[in-house]
Amino acid sequence: MSAKPIRIGLVVPSSNVTVETEMPRILARHPEQEFTFHSSRMRMKKVSPEQLAAMNAQRERCVIELGDAGVDAMLYACLVAIMSTGLGEHHKVELSIAEQLAAGGSEASVLSSAGALVDALADMGAKRIAVVTPYLRPLAEQVMAYLEHEGLTVTDWRALEVADNAEVGCIPGDRVMEAARSMDLTGVDALVLSACVQMPSLGLVQAAEDEFGVPVITAATAGAYRILRAVGATVDIPGAGSLLRADAPVTVDA
């Protein structure tokens, strides 16, 4: 373990309570590295186009605050806020944040939940995916279109249609698993069990992967994976799906 902890900045909606619990839980399992977490919040209660737009307008303030904290990596932790804005939007947002940080003298790596999900699926070699989201159907359709634009084929998906972001953070795991079990997973390369960092799912990932026999990821595990890659840390975290065991030693049966 290095002497200096790696500082992770999280830009989160004000009503999000999940990413600030799941991300530390994931990275606390790292065998070599210590992480600390520092958040700045954007006001948003209802997952609607109007409130998402108003929330995005608060981004620059949050970036300045986290830049002052000297973070090593920064995650813009609201997937739908980016994917509902326009196709390919995560590329623009990440570049804009990086430029803002650089102007203030920060060299922090910049990530977004939207970009992390796309990039993690690419690193897995996944092309055909199934997706569970908490969003209302119109927003969910925008997320699917976004993923398709990034070269993925969404073979099946479910929207749990929860508009209140606080309620999204309370969706029970059995409802998420029920949605996953209702989909046709034939021929998929990966199951995105939660395309939202607010919908709790970390405790389901490994069990779902074991049950369905396909790689299972979430917005949170994809974010953790991309953080580890960005800071040059080994990706070998147990109990959260095969994505986070990417650098695990290969065992050879005798």
Side-chain angles (χ1 to χ4, degrees):
M1 183 177 293
S2 68
K4 180 184 176 183
I6 294 174
R7 295 178 185 172
I8 306 301
L10 300 172
V11 180
V12 299
S14 59
S15 50
N16 188 303
V17 295
T18 304
V19 68
E20 292 164 306
T21 56
E22 290 197 342
M23 197 66 68
R25 282 174 59 198
I26 295 169
L27 295 181
R29 303 176 192 175
H30 197 276
E32 302 165 351
Q33 185 60 59
E34 182 181 357
F35 297 85
T36 62
F37 298 86
H38 314 275
S39 300
S40 183
R41 312 184 85 78
M42 308 169 290
R43 191 80 195 279
M44 188 273 279
K45 296 181 70 175
K46 184 178 180 181
V47 190
S48 67
E50 296 76 18
Q51 289 206 19
L52 289 171
M55 184 192 75
N56 282 333
Q58 303 167 55
R59 184 185 74 215
E60 290 190 6
R61 170 188 55 79
C62 295
V63 172
I64 290 171
E65 291 175 0
L66 292 175
D68 290 346
V71 297
D72 299 296
M74 186 180 300
L75 178 69
Y76 192 78
C78 187
L79 181 145
V80 72
I82 289 179
M83 289 194 179
S84 65
T85 301
L87 299 176
E89 184 69 12
H90 72 274
H91 302 287
K92 302 174 189 176
V93 169
E94 291 173 11
L95 178 60
S96 178
I97 292 174
E99 290 175 343
Q100 184 183 351
L101 287 171
S106 171
E107 298 180 355
S109 298
V110 176
L111 310 163
S112 67
S113 293
L117 183 62
V118 169
D119 292 344
L121 288 166
D123 285 1
M124 296 167 68
K127 296 293 186 182
R128 295 170 54 82
I129 62 172
V131 183
V132 180
T133 81
Y135 311 123
L136 297 177
R137 190 172 186 86
L139 282 174
E141 289 173 344
Q142 289 181 284
V143 169
M144 302 312 138
Y146 195 102
L147 294 171
E148 295 265 3
H149 178 76
E150 294 294 326
L152 296 155
T153 298
V154 180
T155 63
D156 204 354
W157 58 277
R158 295 290 182 272
L160 302 185
E161 304 224 58
V162 179
D164 185 282
N165 203 43
E167 291 182 13
V168 171
C170 300
I171 294 173
D174 57 0
R175 187 177 177 193
V176 178
M177 289 297 290
E178 180 183 1
R181 292 184 183 115
S182 74
M183 293 190 293
D184 182 0
L185 301 180
T186 304
V188 301
D189 300 313
L191 165 63
V192 181
L193 192 61
S194 175
C196 174
V197 291
Q198 169 71 334
M199 186 165 75
S201 56
L202 178 58
L204 308 174
V205 175
Q206 191 61 58
E209 191 162 290
D210 294 342
E211 176 178 337
F212 300 123
V214 298
V216 174
I217 72 170
T218 70
T221 61
Y225 169 83
R226 289 295 299 135
I227 286 172
L228 292 171
R229 287 287 185 239
V231 301
T234 302
V235 181
D236 185 9
I237 294 177
S242 54
L243 172 68
L244 290 175
R245 301 305 303 275
D247 296 337
V250 176
T251 58
V252 179
D253 294 334

